[in-house]
Amino acid sequence: MVMLQYYPEAITNIVAGLLIIAFGILMGNILGVLSKKLFEAFEVEHILHSWNIGFPIEEFVSSLIKYITYLLGLIWGLTFLGLETIILYAILLIILGLLIAFILLALKDFIPNFVAGIIINLTKKVNKREYIKLDNAEGKVIKVHMLETKIKTPDGDIVLIPNVLINKRVVTKNK
């Protein structure tokens, strides 16, 4: 009890910091749910699906708002403890590292296929309306996109072949 007498400001700051962090978590959950309901009310995913965009925007934006609110509550709460600069730099470094890792993982297939698409289009390795055979897939080339090539098999199926495979494998052309 004697310790509390000498450090009343420190105890007040600790309690205030913990309450602000708890408030940030509560507000993050509330704002996350509200934003998801708002997107559902405006039928944003339905609109995106009508444009052939299959991105779960409701879930993504609501999670983003929730976690940003968590982070702001945490930083604000840590300010009362006097740890804001050290913790803020640590959090920013962790977020930056995770962001770089996510970007690299997201682009690990995109970049090679995009470069292969450029090479295929420049060298005319595969052209529209050609009949090709690649491994187990064979058919008439419908379209050569930047990331993939569409072929229509003799059975009428559409097969999407990543452009990296076309550049790396032997392609047999029949006329």
Side-chain angles (χ1 to χ4, degrees):
M1 214 44 177
V2 175
M3 294 290 283
L4 293 178
Q5 179 180 358
Y6 295 114
Y7 301 106
E9 189 177 317
I11 300 299
T12 304
N13 286 345
I14 290 171
V15 171
L18 292 175
L19 286 174
I20 289 172
I21 291 170
F23 181 73
I25 292 170
L26 177 68
M27 288 306 297
N29 287 333
I30 290 170
L31 291 175
V33 169
L34 284 176
S35 63
K36 188 169 184 176
K37 295 288 184 190
L38 187 66
F39 275 100
E40 288 173 358
F42 285 110
E43 298 180 350
V44 174
E45 281 197 14
H46 179 71
I47 293 168
L48 290 177
H49 282 295
S50 68
W51 294 339
N52 292 327
I53 300 172
F55 184 72
I57 190 100
E58 295 171 2
E59 192 67 37
F60 176 76
V61 172
S62 66
S63 294
L64 186 67
I65 289 172
K66 179 171 65 172
Y67 291 120
I68 287 175
T69 307
Y70 287 172
L71 183 64
L72 292 175
L74 178 67
I75 291 170
W76 192 24
L78 291 175
T79 302
F80 281 89
L81 300 175
L83 301 174
E84 73 275 0
T85 52
I86 297 168
I87 300 298
L88 181 60
Y89 288 140
I91 290 172
L92 289 176
L93 284 174
I94 290 169
I95 290 173
L96 183 63
L98 288 173
L99 188 63
I100 290 170
F102 288 139
I103 289 171
L104 289 176
L105 286 174
L107 296 178
K108 76 175 180 62
D109 289 332
F110 176 81
I111 293 172
N113 279 314
F114 185 77
V115 171
I118 292 171
I119 292 170
I120 289 170
N121 283 313
L122 289 176
T123 62
K124 302 291 185 195
K125 185 173 183 177
V126 175
N127 295 310
K128 191 174 179 180
R129 294 193 263 310
E130 283 184 329
Y131 192 89
I132 64 168
K133 182 175 182 183
L134 176 77
D135 295 338
N136 295 335
E138 68 178 276
K140 187 177 181 181
V141 176
I142 298 172
K143 180 85 175 159
V144 180
H145 294 282
M146 292 308 291
L147 300 177
E148 62 199 12
T149 299
K150 279 186 185 181
I151 65 169
K152 187 172 187 176
T153 66
D155 298 333
D157 297 329
I158 304 293
V159 179
L160 303 174
I161 302 171
N163 285 338
V164 169
L165 294 180
I166 293 175
N167 263 356
K168 287 184 178 180
R169 305 263 167 75
V170 175
V171 176
T172 306
K173 294 182 181 184
N174 295 337
K175 300 222 176 192

